[in-house]
Amino acid sequence: MSEFKELVTFLRNENPTIRQIAIQNLAGFSTTQKQLFDNQSIQEVKLSCRDKPAIAHDAFSILVNISDSVLTSNAIVTNDFMVFLTSYIANPTALLADLACMLLSNLSKLPNVIHTICSQQIPVSLNNGEPSFIASKSESSTVQIEGQQTSFRAVPCLVEAFVQGANKPETAVESAEAQAKRKSNCHFLGSVFANITTTQPGREYFTSPSPSFEALANQTSDKEYPLAKLTAFTEHPNNIRRHGVASTIKNSTFVKDAHRALLAEDKEIIGGCSGVNMLPYVLLPLCGPEEFDIDEQEALPEVCQLLPETKKREIDPSVRKTHIETLLLLCTTLHGREYLRSRNTYVVIKAAHAEEKDQQVIDEMIKLVNLIMRQEGEETKIQELSAKESEMVDEDMMIEEV
C-alpha cells in the first residue's frame, strides 16, 4: 500500500523518466490490485493522460483496466475529464485515441455517462472550416487555439472520428506511407454508439435529422440522419466495428416512427433530408455467393445483386443474429413488413438459412420468415402490430437492446 501511494506521488515529478517509471509500475497494479485505486490516485492518473505519449499510453491503459467497476468508473467520470476524453477522440492528431475509445466504451455502459455523451458540448476553435478541439490539448495531440471560438455537440464529432478511422491502415508503417490524417482507427466507438442507443436520447439522435459534422464545421444548416453515416460499415473487416454498428442499427430500429426514414433510399427526402437506406447494409452481410433467378434478383437491393463467387457471409454468428433481429423489429410495422417483402428479403434469408449452423440464428430466421410470408388480414393491416405481436408472437423471443 505504501509503495502504491509513493508511486502515485511520483506522477507529478518534474523528471519525465521518473514519471514514466512510476506509471509503468502503477499499470501492474491496475490488473492485479484494482481496489488500491482511490479517488486521489485516479485523479492523478487522469492528469497523466495529458503527459508525454509513453506516459499517457500507460495512464489510459490503467483507466481502461479499472473502468470495469461501477465504483471506479464513477470516480473517473467528471465533467472536465469527459470533455477532454471526447475532445481527444475527436481530434484527428491524437496518437492514443484508440485507447481513449476503449475507455469511453467501458464508461458508456453507465446510464449517467450515456446522458453526458448525448448532451455534451465540446469547445472548438474554427479556422476556415477546420475545427480544432482545444479541450484535447496534451503532449500526444496538437490543437490550434487561434480562430473563432465556438462549441460542437460531442456525438457528431465522435461519429466523424469513427467514419474517418474506418479507412486508416492498421499498422503505423502503412499509416505513414498513406499519410493518414487520423492517427487512430476508433473501432471501439462502435461499442459506444451501441451503448448509447440503448436509451431514448441515443436512439432519437441517430434516427432524427441532425446537423452533420460538415455542417457544424462550415456553419451551414444542412442535416442528415446520423445512422446513415454508420450503415456502410456492416461489411468492414474489423469485427469490433461490425458488431458495434450492427447493434447500433438494431437498437435504432426500436423507434417504430423512424422505420420509414430508415428504409427510405438515399435519393428520397424524408424529414427534410435523405433517407438512411439501411436495408441493403443489413441484408448484405447475410448474403453469400448464391445465384438467384432474374425475377428474384431484380427485386433485391442493388448492392445485393450479382454478387461474386468470393462473397462470404458474416462470420460471427452473434452479428448475424443481430441483423436478423433488426429485420424482425422492422416487421413490427406494416410499412416495414411490406417493404421487406417488396425488396425480396425472403430469398436472402432462405439461402442464408440453408447454410446456417447456429441454432439461435436459425430460430430467429424462422420467426422472420413467418412474419414476412404470412398473409396480412384485416386485423394486421394496421401501421403497428399489437403488443403481443410486437414481441414477435413468441413469448420467449423478446428482443432486447445490446
Side-chain angles (χ1 to χ4, degrees):
M1 184 66 172
S2 59
E3 177 192 355
F4 178 85
K5 288 186 174 181
E6 188 175 11
L7 287 170
V8 172
T9 63
F10 286 139
L11 293 181
R12 302 280 70 83
N13 193 284
E14 292 183 1
N15 188 328
T17 302
I18 293 177
R19 296 200 303 273
Q20 185 169 349
I21 293 171
I23 199 74
Q24 284 175 343
N25 283 277
L26 285 171
F29 284 102
S30 72
T31 58
T32 58
Q33 300 182 63
K34 300 179 184 181
Q35 73 280 2
L36 294 179
F37 287 87
D38 55 13
N39 287 349
Q40 181 184 354
S41 57
I42 289 173
Q43 178 62 23
E44 294 296 334
V45 173
K46 284 158 59 177
L47 289 172
S48 296
C49 290
R50 298 177 182 266
D51 210 326
K52 295 184 180 298
I55 298 172
H57 178 280
D58 286 346
F60 274 120
S61 298
I62 289 171
L63 295 178
V64 170
N65 290 341
I66 66 176
S67 59
D68 60 353
S69 159
V70 173
L71 188 63
T72 52
S73 289
N74 281 319
I76 294 170
V77 177
T78 58
N79 183 63
D80 288 348
F81 185 72
M82 290 303 295
V83 170
F84 164 72
L85 186 62
T86 51
S87 298
Y88 187 85
I89 293 170
N91 189 338
T93 70
L95 299 177
L96 304 171
D98 283 334
L99 278 172
C101 290
M102 293 173 68
L103 175 58
L104 189 61
S105 174
N106 285 351
L107 297 177
S108 64
K109 295 170 185 175
L110 299 175
N112 60 312
V113 174
I114 292 176
H115 175 76
T116 297
I117 296 171
C118 290
S119 60
Q120 189 175 67
Q121 297 280 331
I122 54 179
V124 171
S125 174
L126 269 180
N127 287 277
N128 299 319
E130 285 292 328
S132 183
F133 299 94
I134 52 182
S136 67
K137 186 177 180 181
S138 70
E139 295 197 47
S140 61
S141 65
T142 57
V143 299
Q144 184 174 343
I145 305 297
E146 297 78 16
Q148 178 188 347
Q149 304 298 301
T150 184
S151 63
F152 286 0
R153 189 176 180 180
V155 184
C157 299
L158 296 177
V159 171
E160 181 66 14
F162 188 68
V163 172
Q164 288 181 355
N167 296 320
K168 178 195 170 293
E170 295 292 335
T171 69
V173 173
E174 290 172 332
S175 293
E177 291 175 350
Q179 296 182 327
K181 176 183 177 183
R182 177 161 289 279
K183 304 304 181 184
S184 301
N185 55 49
C186 299
H187 295 322
F188 275 92
L189 282 178
S191 302
V192 175
F193 302 146
N195 289 338
I196 68 176
T197 51
T198 61
T199 68
Q200 183 179 354
R203 290 173 186 163
E204 286 182 353
Y205 171 75
F206 278 100
T207 60
S208 303
S210 178
S212 65
F213 178 81
E214 293 81 5
L216 294 173
N218 295 305
Q219 298 182 300
T220 66
S221 58
D222 296 342
K223 292 187 176 184
E224 65 184 1
Y225 288 98
L227 190 64
K229 305 274 281 190
L230 307 185
T231 53
F233 302 125
T234 57
E235 289 267 286
H236 194 274
N238 183 272
N239 181 264
I240 294 169
R241 179 175 285 258
R242 291 199 317 278
H243 200 289
V245 167
S247 296
T248 304
I249 293 172
K250 170 189 160 181
N251 291 343
S252 298
T253 313
F254 275 90
V255 184
K256 293 182 180 182
D257 291 343
H259 282 191
R260 284 188 179 273
L262 297 180
L263 291 170
E265 296 185 17
D266 48 20
K267 60 187 177 185
E268 298 179 58
I269 303 300
I270 304 285
C273 52
S274 298
V276 176
N277 193 30
M278 64 177 261
L279 183 61
Y281 302 101
V282 175
L283 289 181
L284 192 57
L286 301 173
C287 290
E290 297 85 12
E291 293 185 12
F292 299 114
D293 294 340
I294 296 296
D295 292 342
E296 293 177 330
Q297 193 99 247
E298 288 179 348
L300 289 171
E302 188 173 344
V303 298
C304 299
Q305 298 178 18
L306 302 174
L307 296 174
E309 294 181 359
T310 55
K311 174 66 175 74
K312 295 182 179 179
R313 288 187 177 81
E314 167 60 52
I315 60 172
D316 187 332
S318 67
V319 177
R320 295 198 301 273
K321 183 171 179 282
T322 298
H323 286 313
I324 298 296
E325 289 178 339
T326 297
L327 297 173
L328 280 165
L329 285 165
L330 290 171
C331 287
T332 60
T333 58
L334 177 62
H335 176 74
R337 296 193 297 279
E338 290 184 336
Y339 191 83
L340 264 56
R341 290 165 186 149
S342 71
R343 305 306 284 168
N344 225 355
T345 300
Y346 169 71
V347 300
V348 172
I349 304 305
K350 179 183 177 182
H353 178 268
E355 299 294 325
E356 185 57 59
K357 300 294 188 294
D358 188 282
Q359 189 57 48
Q360 288 187 334
V361 180
I362 291 172
D363 292 343
E364 302 305 291
M365 287 178 168
I366 292 171
K367 293 166 188 172
L368 176 60
V369 169
N370 287 339
L371 283 171
I372 294 177
M373 299 305 291
R374 76 177 185 181
Q375 294 294 316
E376 297 283 353
E378 289 301 319
E379 70 280 2
T380 65
K381 282 194 174 181
I382 52 177
Q383 181 57 32
E384 295 185 8
L385 293 179
S386 67
K388 183 168 183 175
E389 287 179 308
S390 291
E391 296 175 5
M392 312 310 166
V393 183
D394 187 338
E395 294 178 357
D396 296 329
M397 185 272 161
M398 191 64 180
I399 295 178
E400 296 180 356
E401 299 94 328
V402 290

